Structure formats: C-alpha cells, structure tokens
Amino acid sequence: MNNRTLLDAWETFELSCSKDASLCQSALFRFTLPGLGGSQPSGARLTSKEIAAALKTLASIDISTDIGERLREAQKQTFTLLNTPNKRQRQPRYYLNQFINWGIENETFPSAKSPEEKPHYIFYPEKLKRIKLTKREHVYKKFVFSFDVIDYESEPLDPEQIQQHLQRISQECTSFKKYQTSERCRQVTADSYERHLNRILGWLYREKGISLAEISLSKIVPFVRLNFQIREFSSKENRLLSQLIAKAEALENIKHEAEQLVNLLIEFFAWLENPPSPKTKKTYIDSLIAYSRYIYRNETDKTMALNFEDIPLINRLKVFQKEVENGKKNNFNSIQRYLLPWPDALEVLEKLRFETELETIKVGKGTKKRQLSAKAKSLQNFVLLGFFVLVPPSRQRVIRELELGRTLKYGIFENERFTSAEKMANPSEARYYIHLQPEDYKTGDIYGEWLGEFPNTEFPDGSKFYDYLNRWFFRGYQDESGEWHGMREAIAVPGEKTVFVMASAGKAFSSAGMTSKIRRIFIRWTELPITPHDLRHSFRSYIEEPDTKATTEEKESAAFWMRHSSTTAKKKYAHLDCGKKLRLGAVLLGRINQQFLSASARTEGQALRCQND
C-alpha cells in the first residue's frame, strides 16, 4: 500500500520497529524536519509540544518518488542550521537511512525507477580479498630502527644517554643524506637508501641483540684507511718499504671487512622463513654501496679509478650484487605469472570510464545519489589508469609525481616554446604534454629532457580523454555560487601539488600506495594483482607478438615512451612463450620456401614442355 503522507509512513514504521523507534524519531523529528520547514528543537530532548508539531509537519508532506533524497537533503540542511559537529552526524544519518530503507523495502515509498532508466550499478558486489603476492610476512616495519626514546625502556641507560646515542646515529644518517644531495642523487633515491639502512640497524638491535651503544652505520660499513703518504714514514729506516707494508696490511683488513659485511647481508636476507626477492636484496646492496662511497670518498684515487674501483669493499659488494641478479634470472616465473593480455587492460579502462558517468547507485531495492567525493574517486581511477594504458606505460614514479604546470602541461608547444592554455587565443586547441627534466625520471641522465604529447583518445560513445582530464582539473562541478571546480578539489587537500592523490587522505601517493591502487583495480576486474610494472611487461610482450605486426620504428617509439632503449625493451620486458617466438620464424621460412618451390615448379614445367615439343 502506498501511503499518502510521511505521517502515514511514520505511524506504520513506528509499529513495526519498536526497537529503534526512539532513535529513528530523533533522526527524523530533530535532525531532518527543520530542513523541511519544521520547527527547530529548543532543548536536548523533544517536548510533547515539539513532537505534536513534528507530527503535524509529517502530515503536510506528501510522499513522492524522490522522498528519500528529499529527506537526506533536508537532514544535511538541518545539520548546517544547528551547527551539528561532524562526529554527531553519523548516528542521525544512520537511523534516517534505516527509516528510508524500510520504506523502500516495504513499498511504502514508491520507486523512482522508470522503465527507460538504465540499470543501476553495484560497485562492489563482493568484498575484495587481498591477494598475497609472496609468502613473506609483513614484518619489515617492526624492524625499522626507531628514534623514539620510549622504545628503549629495556636499555640499562638513562633517557639522556639513550637520546645521545639516537642523536649520534641520526647525525650519521643526516650526513649521509647531505652527501647524496651534493652528488645530485634524487631525493626519492636518498630516502630509499635511508629506509633500507634503518631496517638493517633495526634488525641488528632487535634480532641480533646489539646494544644501542654499539649500533652505528660505521659498524656496518667500517672505515679502513687505504692511502698512506711516504712522508708519514720519515722516521723509518726504509720509508718506501714501510709504506708498502702499511698499504698491504690495510688491503688485507678491508678485504676481511668486506667478507664480514657480505656474510652479514646473507644472514640478514635469511632472517625470514621465505627470504626477500632478488630485487629487494639488490635495493639493500645498493644502499650499502652508496654508503660505502660516502665513507670512502676521500680514500679513492680519482686519477686511477673513476668509480671507486680501487676500494675492495665496494668491489666485493658489486660482485655480491651480480650473484643476487643471477638468482633473479633463475627465478623469472614470478614476473611472467602476472602478464595480462593488453586488450584486457583496455577493457578494465572502459569499465572504469562507465563508472565515472554514474549519478546513482543501487541501495537495497531503491537508489541513492552518489556523493561528490565518490564520483571524484571514480574519475581519478579512470584518469589514473588512462595514463598507464593510453600510451606505452611509464614507470609508476613518473605518474605518481605528475604536477599540472610542471611535469604535466596544458597548452601548446610551438617552435620550441610553450604557451599555456589560458594565454592561448583559442584554448580549445590546447593539448596535454608530459614534460620531464632529467631529475624527474630514472633514466634521465641518459635521455635528458623528455617531452611527449598525450593523445586525446576517443572512446566508443564519442567522448575523448581530454574531456575527462578537463573535468578532473577544471570543470567537474559547480559550487553554490555557480563557480566551476575540478573534481580533484573534492578529494585533494589544499596545497597538494600532485595530479593524483590518495582518496582517503587527499595527499600524494607513496610508491607502495600507487602500486596498491593499480593492483586493487585489476584484482577487482580480472582477479590478477597487476602492478604498474606488470603493465610495462604486458604491453611490451604484446607488441612483440607477431600478430600485432608492429614495425621496428613503432617498437622503437614505444621504447622511448617507456624511457629506455629498444634493446632493453626486448630483453627485459618482452616475455613471449616458445610457440610465439617460433611462429614468426616458421612463417618466414615457409614464405621463402614457398617462393622457391613455386619458382622450381615453373622451371620444371617449362622443361617438360620443351621436351614434349
């Protein structure tokens, strides 16, 4: 039965829902009806007169097809009217929704759905399950070295002494980072070195039981003096021989320390039941090599060695790194498991694009208008994946650090000059460009400044990628005064510069956060935990397949988009199975053989005709 007024609906609901009736009454009478013309409550509890007035207001409100949305909007207005704090809005919102959902489920409220309306969309029909990529446990964090005095209560030291040791260790890290900056090391790399060294320090303290007084980076990578001047041995009878003996002893000592360091690393890598991957091991070794260069920066002889080749400890770490990389080659299947056919990646992009257009979602048997932040999150997911699949995929750092106006530019490049869209005579002709300086990407030292125009891809419904980019940056929604804002503003915190932000915090993605975002998108639609780096492998493998018929020039251009050489692209990223590798050779030889056999048949035919004549 369809009731005519909200009073009819409320009386029926009150009889059927005695358990939460009082809470629902407060949500409706106190926090909703004032937004529909009802009187405001005067105290903490509703008086009998206020309840009677509320019932009279309910009797004056007809039930329409949009009654649910009208009630929710009225509640928002009431919250504003009463200056209700955010933390006190949750309960009234919950119990109002309980009343609305009851009305829809019992057909007390009519459905707003019409036969012509598109079917509603359920975003997560099943709760997503996290797919573990390895058997390793997440225990790294608890081994990170802490600089908080409270974490060292078990130490037989005074808090002041603990603080002094922590300051000593912190100073070592700070000096190392300053050196990295002076050597033009990228900030993201310097931060990575520091994190990995802190994990080793934390492991030494918690797992190995090394006391705080003995913990230091210099204990991990000890300094051994290697350069001796002959004048230092002026008191010796044979100065040259004394110098040679000192150098020989130093060389023996540093070789011993190098072996000790490698053995320590081997023990560190084995501390888990399932050791880290070869790639993870390599990052730790890279960090120690970088710190060793800092320690031995004044000992290397740059007239004889260009890259610390005269420091045995660094050479030993490099040899160990090669051994680790060889282990990676023997364990290649871990990458190949997560290759995705490229058309499947485009299909996921189309599903995300469909979501960006949705205004309502299904809730029970009714519908619910999507909030602005929810629509902004959907648009970001689509645009973000578009940057990975509408051009040959970049490393995730490039996309993660994009900034509009710096590395992502909107305007026109002409005659080696850039004009921004707002300064163009016809802004509708503006294009989007990825513009990177050498410090903005991994291979910047090789390729230098990099500029690429992002294509304005057209989709099946006639919309174009720039339409969605402009919605993200400029014209996504209008405020109460009619001013346009980009959808990005709905989820990004003020002042954040990166193009993409974490939806929950509104701040820039971390490396792990960006990887997790892409992986969850693909788990949802393909059940495969595809990461940004997996997309690079998937794309290159796809264009190397004979069926794509990609030309050499096209493959070289794709490699340049990925910012590496064609040789690296083919060797590192292309993973064709044996059948696909062999097929093209068989087709080639078949064509050659067919040409020869056809020519031979013509010759034999001519010879037979001559004999018959």
Side-chain angles (χ1 to χ4, degrees):
M1 179 179 80
N2 287 332
N3 298 291
R4 292 177 300 163
T5 68
L6 272 181
L7 178 60
D8 299 322
W10 171 252
E11 290 176 342
T12 306
F13 172 79
E14 195 173 20
L15 291 173
S16 64
C17 186
S18 58
K19 179 181 178 182
D20 296 326
S22 60
L23 293 170
C24 292
Q25 182 189 72
S26 177
L28 182 61
F29 290 14
R30 173 185 290 275
F31 292 103
T32 304
L33 290 185
L36 291 170
S39 59
Q40 297 182 33
S42 58
R45 290 181 176 275
L46 292 171
T47 65
S48 57
K49 289 184 178 181
E50 288 174 337
I51 292 175
L55 293 173
K56 186 176 181 180
T57 302
L58 287 176
S60 67
I61 300 173
D62 293 332
I63 294 177
S64 58
T65 56
D66 63 343
I67 188 63
E69 290 304 314
R70 287 171 60 196
L71 289 173
R72 292 189 180 99
E73 186 60 34
Q75 190 179 68
K76 291 180 183 178
Q77 295 176 11
T78 306
F79 286 151
T80 302
L81 190 67
L82 302 178
N83 294 318
T84 308
N86 290 336
K87 61 182 181 181
R88 292 191 58 197
Q89 294 179 15
R90 184 175 181 180
Q91 180 172 304
R93 189 182 297 117
Y94 172 80
Y95 285 105
L96 177 64
N97 283 331
Q98 185 170 314
F99 172 57
I100 294 171
N101 292 338
W102 169 87
I104 294 172
E105 291 173 3
N106 291 275
E107 299 183 357
T108 303
F109 295 163
S111 175
K113 183 176 179 180
S114 63
E116 295 78 18
E117 187 178 354
K118 294 180 180 179
H120 293 287
Y121 191 80
I122 301 176
F123 281 84
Y124 293 97
E126 294 181 4
K127 186 176 180 180
L128 291 181
K129 295 181 180 179
R130 178 176 175 81
I131 297 179
K132 289 180 65 62
L133 303 184
T134 68
K135 295 180 180 179
R136 296 192 300 276
E137 299 297 327
H138 293 281
V139 296
Y140 286 115
K141 288 186 178 180
K142 72 176 184 179
F143 281 86
V144 174
F145 188 79
S146 171
F147 288 93
D148 191 338
V149 176
I150 298 176
D151 292 331
Y152 298 94
E153 294 178 347
S154 60
E155 282 283 336
L157 299 170
D158 296 331
E160 185 177 348
Q161 293 175 310
I162 294 174
Q163 186 63 47
Q164 289 174 354
H165 286 303
L166 295 179
Q167 289 177 350
R168 168 181 55 80
I169 300 168
S170 176
Q171 184 58 43
E172 285 184 321
C173 297
T174 302
S175 299
F176 171 51
K177 287 191 74 172
K178 286 183 178 179
Y179 171 74
Q180 293 298 307
T181 303
S182 67
E183 292 292 302
R184 297 180 62 187
C185 176
R186 297 183 180 90
Q187 185 64 42
V188 64
T189 305
D191 292 341
S192 175
Y193 290 158
E194 183 181 34
R195 285 196 305 272
H196 287 91
L197 291 176
N198 279 348
R199 285 172 179 168
I200 296 176
L201 290 174
W203 171 74
L204 289 174
Y205 180 77
R206 291 181 172 84
E207 183 74 5
K208 296 286 289 179
I210 307 299
S211 68
L212 187 61
E214 296 177 323
I215 289 284
S216 71
L217 291 175
S218 59
K219 289 290 181 68
I220 300 174
V221 183
F223 175 77
V224 177
R225 185 183 175 191
L226 298 174
N227 285 335
F228 299 91
Q229 304 298 321
I230 195 169
R231 61 176 176 271
E232 298 178 43
F233 305 94
S234 56
S235 61
K236 302 293 182 179
E237 182 177 349
N238 190 330
R239 293 186 299 169
L240 180 59
L241 179 60
S242 298
Q243 182 193 35
L244 291 174
I245 291 174
K247 285 187 175 182
E249 290 177 346
L251 188 63
E252 185 175 343
N253 287 338
I254 196 171
K255 287 182 177 180
H256 172 73
E257 295 293 349
E259 288 301 322
Q260 291 289 99
L261 177 55
V262 169
N263 290 336
L264 183 71
L265 275 175
I266 292 173
E267 185 179 358
F268 173 65
F269 293 150
W271 63 292
L272 290 174
E273 182 179 350
N274 295 283
S277 67
K279 182 178 179 180
T280 301
K281 292 180 182 179
K282 183 178 180 299
T283 58
Y284 282 101
I285 301 171
D286 282 336
S287 303
L288 287 171
I289 289 175
Y291 187 74
S292 300
R293 287 173 173 168
Y294 162 65
I295 292 295
Y296 287 95
R297 63 191 183 281
N298 295 324
E299 291 298 302
T300 184
D301 185 354
K302 294 183 179 179
T303 62
M304 302 295 292
L306 297 176
N307 194 25
F308 293 85
E309 292 87 356
D310 57 338
I311 307 298
L313 185 142
I314 294 177
N315 289 337
R316 181 66 185 93
L317 287 173
K318 289 180 179 179
V319 170
F320 183 49
Q321 191 175 61
K322 286 291 183 183
E323 294 171 356
V324 167
E325 289 177 346
N326 289 337
K328 179 180 179 180
K329 293 176 182 177
N330 295 333
N331 190 29
F332 172 72
N333 287 336
S334 61
I335 292 178
Q336 195 165 9
R337 281 187 303 163
Y338 301 114
L339 289 181
L340 182 74
W342 198 247
D344 290 359
L346 294 177
E347 185 176 344
V348 171
L349 182 69
E350 267 294 275
K351 291 177 178 178
L352 293 180
R353 190 178 69 84
F354 173 74
E355 286 184 351
T356 67
E357 307 295 343
L358 295 174
E359 294 294 331
T360 61
I361 57 173
K362 185 177 180 180
V363 179
K365 295 183 179 180
T367 62
K368 178 181 178 181
K369 186 177 180 180
R370 298 186 69 197
Q371 295 182 351
L372 179 63
S373 59
K375 292 190 284 187
K377 292 172 186 177
S378 291
L379 181 58
Q380 174 171 253
N381 288 343
F382 166 69
V383 173
L384 173 60
L385 187 60
F387 272 88
F388 281 107
V389 303
L390 295 180
V391 292
S394 298
R395 291 181 176 87
Q396 60 109 336
R397 177 198 163 194
V398 171
I399 309 303
R400 172 167 49 91
E401 296 181 357
L402 280 179
E403 295 179 14
L404 186 64
R406 189 177 74 82
T407 52
L408 181 65
K409 294 185 175 178
Y410 184 52
I412 192 73
F413 271 98
E414 287 182 331
N415 302 321
E416 299 184 358
R417 288 189 57 189
F418 175 73
T419 303
S420 61
E422 57 265 22
K423 294 181 180 180
M424 292 175 59
N426 187 1
S428 64
E429 296 179 355
R431 312 290 295 176
Y432 281 95
Y433 301 86
I434 296 179
H435 188 197
L436 307 175
Q437 298 300 327
E439 63 271 16
D440 292 323
Y441 65 107
K442 182 178 180 180
T443 52
D445 293 339
I446 299 174
Y447 297 105
E449 184 179 1
W450 192 97
L451 174 67
E453 179 183 325
F454 205 94
N456 191 13
T457 303
E458 184 172 348
F459 298 100
D461 64 350
S463 62
K464 295 185 177 181
F465 191 61
Y466 282 12
D467 299 336
Y468 298 95
L469 282 175
N470 291 337
R471 281 168 57 185
W472 181 240
F473 290 121
F474 310 118
R475 296 180 66 83
Y477 69 96
Q478 289 178 288
D479 59 21
E480 295 178 353
S481 62
E483 184 179 354
W484 282 99
H485 299 270
M487 294 294 282
R488 180 183 174 278
E489 292 185 34
I491 58 175
V493 297
E496 186 58 63
K497 295 181 179 179
T498 56
V499 169
F500 302 109
V501 296
M502 293 184 291
S504 57
K507 297 181 180 180
F509 278 101
S510 64
S511 177
M514 177 65 76
T515 298
S516 177
K517 165 60 71 175
I518 298 298
R519 184 169 57 204
R520 284 181 64 81
I521 286 173
F522 280 99
I523 289 175
R524 177 186 173 194
W525 292 113
T526 69
E527 298 185 355
L528 289 176
I530 302 296
T531 67
H533 205 66
D534 291 329
L535 288 173
R536 289 167 68 81
H537 287 270
S538 297
F539 168 75
R540 192 67 205 195
S541 299
Y542 180 70
I543 67 171
E544 288 291 340
E545 292 184 6
D547 294 343
T548 62
K549 299 181 181 179
T551 66
T552 301
E553 291 78 11
E554 289 170 336
K555 292 178 182 178
E556 289 178 355
S557 176
F560 193 59
W561 266 100
M562 296 171 74
R563 286 170 281 281
H564 54 57
S565 68
S566 295
T567 302
T568 301
K570 191 170 184 177
K571 181 179 179 181
K572 183 176 180 180
Y573 289 97
H575 313 301
L576 301 183
D577 60 34
C578 186
K580 290 177 180 177
K581 288 181 178 179
L582 296 175
R583 188 191 310 159
L584 195 59
V587 171
L588 171 65
L589 191 57
R591 186 173 66 250
I592 293 173
N593 291 345
Q594 191 61 52
Q595 291 172 351
F596 173 79
L597 293 173
S598 297
S600 177
R602 288 195 298 270
T603 303
E604 290 179 0
Q606 292 174 358
L608 287 172
R609 284 196 295 272
C610 290
Q611 290 177 3
N612 292 333
D613 292 343

